[in-house]
Amino acid sequence: GDSVTQMEGPVTLSEEAFLTINCTYTATGYPSLFWYVQYPGEGLQLLLKATKADDKGSNKGFEATYRKETTSFHLEKGSVQVSDSAVYFCALTFQGAQKLVFGQGTRLTINP
Amino acid sequence: EAEVAQSPRYKITEKSQAVAFWCDPISGHATLYWYRQILGQGPELLVQFQDESVVDDSQLPKDRFSAERLKGVDSTLKIQPAELGDSAMYLCASSLDGREQYFGPGTRLTVT
């Protein structure tokens, strides 16, 4: 079945460091890909998305590029802030209002 | 900005008791999803509605869980009887066109 695999956490970085969180997927067909962020005690917020190969999603300094050849959608940010501390989820879905399939999440902690 | 509403935010119940969660999607969103998120994992779909009809309930434990969306607007998820393994965050999401899902804050259930 369809699945998403994220890099193991937790990830701890210092403020202004470069961030990469790896995400790979297995899917039959061509899914849309998403990154969601979850702050403590809250629901999930959509961070960015890409709907087809080579699309780049970006928001709040975060970027991810849909790589069909490597079935990947890695999340990057050039300079992280303490406020970026959260759990990040990679997810996929298919056209037609179908369910999201999530990775296991990566907890990110940024130290000042 | 319109949001998905959920209540209660927190619920503590004893095993074998009944518990119910409520979700009010963003106005006009025809598709409604209930996800369960076990601590340390990504959310998994329990049930999906299109208007008042169930589209996908393949992962809903139907011996104890039930869900309804009688008028195609708000929805209720019920567990009876609750078991210790049901302790989790229950997330509701809605979508207008299936391209993006918007999540509520969730209900944190603890079964003792």
Side-chain angles (χ1 to χ4, degrees), chain A residues 42-80:
Chain A
E42 298 185 11
L44 277 70
Q45 299 176 23
L46 178 63
L47 181 59
L48 54 83
K49 67 176 182 179
T51 58
K52 61 183 187 296
D54 300 325
D55 268 2
K56 177 185 284 188
S58 61
N59 186 25
K60 300 180 181 179
F62 291 90
E63 294 182 339
T65 300
Y66 189 163
R67 302 288 188 197
K68 189 175 69 171
E69 64 274 15
T70 55
T71 61
S72 64
F73 193 54
H74 304 322
L75 183 68
E76 297 182 336
K77 187 175 185 183
S79 177
V80 292

Side-chain angles (χ1 to χ4, degrees), chain B residues 3-92:
Chain B
E3 295 180 341
V4 176
Q6 289 188 249
S7 66
R9 291 292 307 277
Y10 305 93
K11 180 70 178 179
I12 300 174
T13 191
E14 294 182 347
K15 62 181 180 180
S16 79
Q17 296 298 304
V19 64
F21 315 130
W22 177 80
C23 172
D24 191 13
I26 294 172
S27 179
H29 283 198
T31 310
L32 185 147
Y33 311 81
W34 283 101
Y35 291 86
R36 179 170 61 183
Q37 183 182 14
I38 295 171
L39 189 65
Q41 299 181 21
E44 293 185 336
L45 183 75
L46 289 175
V47 61
Q48 176 183 342
F49 290 91
Q50 182 68 29
D51 298 311
E52 67 276 10
S53 301
V54 173
V55 174
D56 184 352
D57 64 355
S58 57
Q59 299 304 309
L60 188 71
K62 299 181 187 64
D63 57 335
R64 297 185 301 106
F65 286 64
S66 64
E68 60 183 16
R69 193 183 183 199
L70 293 176
K71 297 183 179 179
V73 181
D74 59 337
S75 175
T76 302
L77 178 69
K78 298 179 181 178
I79 308 174
Q80 183 173 17
E83 296 180 352
L84 295 177
D86 297 331
S87 295
M89 175 80 88
Y90 290 82
L91 294 164
C92 179

